[in-house]
Amino acid sequence: MKVVSVNIAEKKSINYKGKVIETGIFKKPVESIFLGETDVEGDAVIDRRYHGGIEKAVYAYAENHYAYWRNLYPNINLTYGLMGENLTISNLEETEIYVGSQYKLGETIIQVTKPREPCMKLGLVFGTQKILKQFWNSSKSGIYFKVLKTGNVKVGDKLILLKKAENTSTI
């Protein structure tokens, strides 16, 4: 597993059903990112009740899952970062990643915490809120990590298992 894209977003305001909503879901690739203890430096985190923090400091999504969503939504130009992820990683498979496992990634050490629970802002990317149910019913949730050792991550860095969690569930 290796990083194919690192992504951050600026705050963006969207008019949704007559209401202005601020979001940081529209992430775009950059050269490298710095993983801090509670978030990715320079990434817009709008609602800290649901995003960022110790348990959700960085979000990773599988490169291989993009084909699934492109097949369901062929008219949407899904580029890396548009699932809201900070890290797009090749061959990431949620059914093989255990909560509590620790990985080395670039200069960092990260620990698996939980799957993503999508909010209505994912529907803004896809132009429909039906994506939320489809996302929930798939095994393509992506993974939140806590950052045990801060540092830089860039394209090409490998996700290397340091310690597999015992007696826990997979994402």
Side-chain angles (χ1 to χ4, degrees):
M1 294 178 284
K2 76 178 184 182
V3 176
V4 296
S5 186
V6 293
N7 317 292
I8 60 172
E10 293 180 1
K11 180 170 69 171
K12 186 172 184 175
S13 296
I14 302 286
N15 189 328
Y16 179 70
K17 296 185 176 182
K19 184 177 178 185
V20 175
I21 296 173
E22 293 182 337
T23 183
I25 197 167
F26 295 97
K27 298 191 186 328
K28 294 184 179 180
V30 293
E31 284 190 33
S32 68
I33 57 176
F34 184 85
L35 306 187
E37 290 182 2
T38 60
D39 56 24
V40 175
E41 190 174 278
D43 187 35
V45 178
I46 306 305
D47 190 344
R48 292 201 175 263
R49 291 175 299 170
Y50 304 109
H51 304 287
I54 299 293
E55 297 295 309
K56 296 180 181 180
V58 62
Y59 175 54
Y61 199 72
E63 172 194 33
N64 40 305
H65 293 345
Y66 271 86
Y68 174 83
W69 299 112
R70 286 181 183 127
N71 185 51
L72 287 177
Y73 294 91
N75 297 326
I76 297 175
N77 182 23
L78 282 178
T79 56
Y80 298 142
L82 282 184
M83 295 302 286
E85 80 273 18
N86 303 110
L87 302 167
T88 313
I89 299 178
S90 66
N91 302 311
L92 186 69
E93 181 53 55
E94 291 87 342
T95 61
E96 298 172 3
I97 305 287
Y98 289 82
V99 173
S101 290
Q102 295 178 12
Y103 292 85
K104 177 169 178 32
L105 181 64
E107 299 174 352
T108 72
I109 297 176
I110 56 178
Q111 183 176 35
V112 176
T113 58
K114 56 184 70 182
R116 175 187 187 179
E117 299 167 352
C119 68
M120 60 77 61
K121 293 178 181 179
L122 185 61
L124 298 176
V125 172
F126 285 84
T128 178
Q129 293 301 313
K130 75 178 187 177
I131 183 66
L132 301 180
K133 188 171 185 178
Q134 292 169 319
F135 191 91
W136 271 109
N137 290 331
S138 77
S139 61
K140 298 163 181 28
S141 65
I143 302 167
Y144 276 115
F145 292 92
K146 75 166 50 172
V147 178
L148 302 178
K149 178 184 175 211
T150 63
N152 290 298
V153 175
K154 65 185 182 323
V155 172
D157 286 345
K158 293 183 179 174
L159 187 67
I160 301 166
L161 180 65
L162 295 178
K163 181 179 177 185
K164 183 178 178 181
E166 300 291 331
N167 303 316
T168 65
S169 60
T170 63
I171 288 295

